[in-house]
Amino acid sequence: MERTIQSALISVFYKEGLEPVVRKLNELGVTIYSTGGTQTFIEELGIPCTAVESVTNYPSILGGRVKTLHPKVFGGILARRDLPEDEAHVKEYEIPMLDLVIVDLYPFEETVKASTDERKIIEKIDIGGVSLIRAAAKNYKDVCIVASRSQYGYLLNLLETQGGVTGLGDRRQMAAAAFMECAHYDVAISDYFNHDTDSANFQLSFGNKQVLRYGENPHQPAAFYGDIDHIFNKLNGKELSYNNLVDVDAACQVIAEFKNPAFAVVKHTNVCGLAERDNVADAWVDALAGDPESAFGGVLATNRTIEKETAEKINELFFEILIAPAFSDDALAVLKGKKNRILLQQKRAVAPRREFKRILNGVLVQDADTTSFDTWTEAGARNCSDVERADLEFANIVCKHLKSNAIALVKNRQLIGKGCGQTSRVDALRQAIIKAGQFGFSLEGAVMASDAFFPFNDCVQMADEAGIKAVIQPGGSMRDNDTIEYCKAHDMALVITGQRHFKH
């Protein structure tokens, strides 16, 4: 069912890209109706334009809050062209028919990001725009709707190639996009009002779809929805893949835990290298030393500027991505030597309030795991030393960022052994001890962290026999006392935090 565009209502916040559309409509002899700033914009192009107020005989009132909410506007959009009753009403009330509606929405999300002034935010809740878009989209059999500046190019192509004639498929496609714009907008407003409350519904909407090369595996189509440029400046390299994005998220979350110079190496979301030092160069050297084998092809992250000295050391390794708050020019000259290597300058922290996961026929939602321990209870043979406490806190953070079951072995704020993703805690510890030995680390004086309680005392016994004399764990086992008594009998410090850190 073809329809020829003979009239158009245009009222937009964003004018960028609108000029060629307006000029083409004028060339096709389309009657244009408009309001406010859009009307001024069109008239300054030298194109005739009819003010909506002259149709409604009602001015814009309440500071612009009410402009287009009028039967003569909505009647012209919602009138069904093939229904005699609608046609009779149109004639009786002298309602101008509208074949094309170009309306976008006030920048609510942008205002929330830029301001904490609630009055400004509330004023960016669009009323008329949403109503016009929904009306035109509902009547897509007769009306064409453009609800975003991202569709200007699509509309212009239709006008140029089809001479102002649209097919039913064209209009339905644009209506679908319009309803999506409204849905996204409403979710953003709902989230603003409900983010600190327990809502009965789970709502989430992200725009800016970016089609990825593939998903976790080449046979899985995939896309990313979100504004990655809000967090990073990409300084070099190929497009981020699905797996890249997953690991970048994990790397950003672990490095955000540290205030002193630190370096993290992440592989398949697990931390495989981590060190905290007085300077970033030393932090890199010791993070890599923790597991140079797993670091190959990994994602690297630091919380300090990358200078040339550090860049030259990093450049010796093949890696996928490097994340830092800044890079010196000399460092970039070194690191950009490989065109596919991704360099990301992180502009702001990644600090999610909630986490969610599709499961069965629904969604699991939880608060993010943002704390490291609830209490610090010394339950062993002795209190831990200051050095041991610093290492235990470090190791406990590492366990938060390893897949369960997880064990982290740390010495002098350096990860020297880890076991993760194991089906038993004993196996995780065995893996950690083997890793430490594989790369030449002595466990004498090292500490151990566990993401969950020890069901038996076998893990502290294995740790003791390997040279470890300080342990941190959440506790909570019915047999906690077995672990406590072993530590007391073998001069081991034992800290119970009361906070588990499962990660699945």
Side-chain angles (χ1 to χ4, degrees):
M1 185 188 304
E2 293 185 341
R3 290 281 186 262
T4 300
I5 298 173
Q6 299 179 37
S7 58
L9 170 63
I10 307 176
S11 180
V12 296
F13 184 87
Y14 296 105
K15 314 298 190 297
E16 299 87 349
L18 182 62
E19 180 179 345
V21 172
V22 173
R23 291 195 182 282
K24 188 62 183 180
L25 289 171
N26 182 59
E27 180 185 318
L28 292 170
V30 175
T31 300
I32 298 175
Y33 299 89
S34 192
T35 63
T38 307
Q39 179 184 344
T40 301
F41 173 82
I42 294 171
E43 290 174 341
E44 287 178 350
L45 295 176
I47 294 172
C49 179
T50 301
V52 168
E53 291 92 330
S54 69
V55 175
T56 63
N57 293 316
Y58 216 92
S60 173
I61 62 172
L62 306 181
R65 279 189 165 195
V66 179
K67 290 184 288 190
T68 55
L69 295 168
H70 194 280
K72 281 202 170 183
V73 175
F74 281 87
I77 296 171
L78 287 166
R80 290 157 289 191
R81 274 56 166 174
D82 57 355
L83 199 66
E85 295 91 333
D86 285 9
E87 185 179 355
H89 282 136
V90 166
K91 288 181 179 179
E92 180 181 357
Y93 297 107
E94 298 180 338
I95 298 172
M97 301 294 270
L98 295 169
D99 305 311
L100 169 65
V101 175
I102 303 177
V103 173
D104 62 8
L105 300 172
Y106 290 158
F108 179 81
E109 288 179 283
E110 292 83 346
T111 305
V112 170
K113 289 177 182 178
S115 175
T116 58
D117 185 339
E118 182 148 286
R119 291 183 63 184
K120 289 183 179 179
I121 292 169
I122 297 302
E123 286 307 311
K124 288 299 184 287
I125 297 177
D126 208 317
I127 305 300
V130 173
S131 302
L132 291 165
I133 290 169
R134 289 179 66 88
K138 176 178 179 176
N139 201 25
Y140 72 88
K141 288 181 68 176
D142 297 307
V143 178
C144 187
I145 173 64
V146 173
S148 167
R149 55 182 166 171
S150 65
Q151 291 185 296
Y152 289 169
Y154 179 78
L155 173 63
L156 184 60
N157 181 63
L158 285 181
L159 296 174
E160 291 176 340
T161 60
Q162 298 176 193
V165 177
T166 63
L168 182 63
D170 300 326
R171 297 191 299 276
R172 195 179 194 285
Q173 179 178 335
M174 299 179 86
F179 281 123
M180 190 174 293
E181 285 289 326
C182 290
H184 177 81
Y185 196 76
D186 286 342
V187 169
I189 295 169
S190 175
D191 186 61
Y192 173 76
F193 281 99
N194 292 290
H195 70 277
D196 288 330
T197 64
D198 293 324
S199 175
N201 298 316
F202 175 76
Q203 299 179 118
L204 193 69
S205 179
F206 290 102
N208 302 313
K209 179 180 179 181
Q210 176 187 339
V211 176
L212 304 175
R213 295 195 302 275
Y214 51 79
E216 285 187 279
N217 301 292
H219 64 279
Q220 295 174 267
F224 173 73
Y225 295 84
D227 186 3
I228 197 76
D229 294 334
H230 182 66
I231 302 172
F232 302 107
N233 289 326
K234 187 157 83 72
L235 306 178
N236 191 68
K238 59 187 178 182
E239 292 302 315
L240 289 158
S241 70
Y242 182 103
N243 292 330
N244 287 159
L245 288 165
V246 171
D247 279 347
V248 165
D249 178 72
C252 287
Q253 290 193 46
V254 67
I255 205 65
E257 301 267 13
F258 299 94
K259 294 181 179 178
N260 295 324
F263 228 113
V265 183
V266 171
K267 196 78 170 287
H268 298 299
T269 75
N270 287 301
V271 184
C272 58
L274 185 64
E276 187 180 38
R277 291 292 180 262
D278 293 332
N279 61 76
V280 70
D282 289 345
W284 162 247
V285 170
D286 289 343
L288 177 64
D291 189 347
E293 191 174 77
S294 296
F296 184 85
V299 172
L300 320 179
T302 185
N303 55 3
R304 292 294 190 275
T305 299
I306 298 291
E307 303 287 355
K308 183 180 180 182
E309 175 193 0
T310 309
E312 289 176 337
K313 293 177 180 178
I314 296 172
N315 200 46
E316 297 172 2
L317 176 76
F318 169 74
F319 62 89
E320 287 274 347
I321 302 168
L322 173 58
I323 306 163
F327 297 80
S328 71
D329 291 341
D330 287 347
L332 285 176
V334 172
L335 295 168
K336 285 184 175 181
K338 292 182 171 60
K339 66 177 183 179
N340 286 331
R341 176 184 285 164
I342 300 169
L343 304 177
L344 299 177
Q345 180 188 5
Q346 187 172 358
K347 297 184 284 187
R348 48 184 52 83
V350 178
R353 294 181 291 106
R354 294 185 303 167
E355 296 174 339
F356 43 89
K357 180 186 294 186
R358 184 213 58 79
I359 199 79
L360 300 175
N361 63 345
V363 178
L364 286 173
V365 182
Q366 66 176 358
D367 288 349
D369 187 3
T370 57
T371 57
S372 295
F373 52 85
D374 184 40
T375 60
W376 187 278
T377 303
E378 301 274 3
R382 57 182 176 79
N383 288 350
C384 59
S385 67
D386 290 344
V387 171
E388 286 174 331
R389 174 159 185 149
D391 279 351
L392 288 170
E393 289 179 352
F394 186 99
N396 198 47
I397 289 172
V398 173
C399 269
K400 280 178 59 179
H401 299 277
L402 293 173
K403 295 287 188 182
S404 300
N405 289 308
I407 293 288
L409 306 181
V410 167
K411 190 173 182 178
N412 298 326
R413 293 171 296 126
Q414 177 188 20
L415 178 61
I416 61 173
K418 49 95 181 52
C420 54
Q422 299 300 307
T423 52
S424 82
R425 198 153 303 282
V426 173
D427 281 344
L429 177 55
R430 286 195 187 101
Q431 183 187 58
I433 291 172
I434 290 170
K435 275 286 186 181
Q438 179 182 352
F439 300 112
F441 291 102
S442 168
L443 293 176
E444 292 294 330
V447 306
M448 174 176 72
S450 173
D451 65 333
F453 65 64
F454 298 116
F456 307 100
N457 67 5
D458 47 4
C459 281
V460 290
Q461 183 177 346
M462 285 176 60
D464 177 36
E465 291 170 355
I468 294 165
K469 293 298 181 182
V471 177
I472 189 168
Q473 57 123 344
S477 168
M478 292 177 62
R479 302 184 65 169
D480 269 353
N481 199 54
D482 292 354
T483 296
I484 292 169
E485 290 303 316
Y486 184 92
C487 289
K488 286 182 176 179
H490 293 82
D491 194 35
M492 296 178 71
L494 173 65
V495 175
I496 296 177
T497 67
Q499 192 166 79
R500 190 178 72 186
H501 292 294
F502 270 169
K503 184 180 179 186
H504 295 105

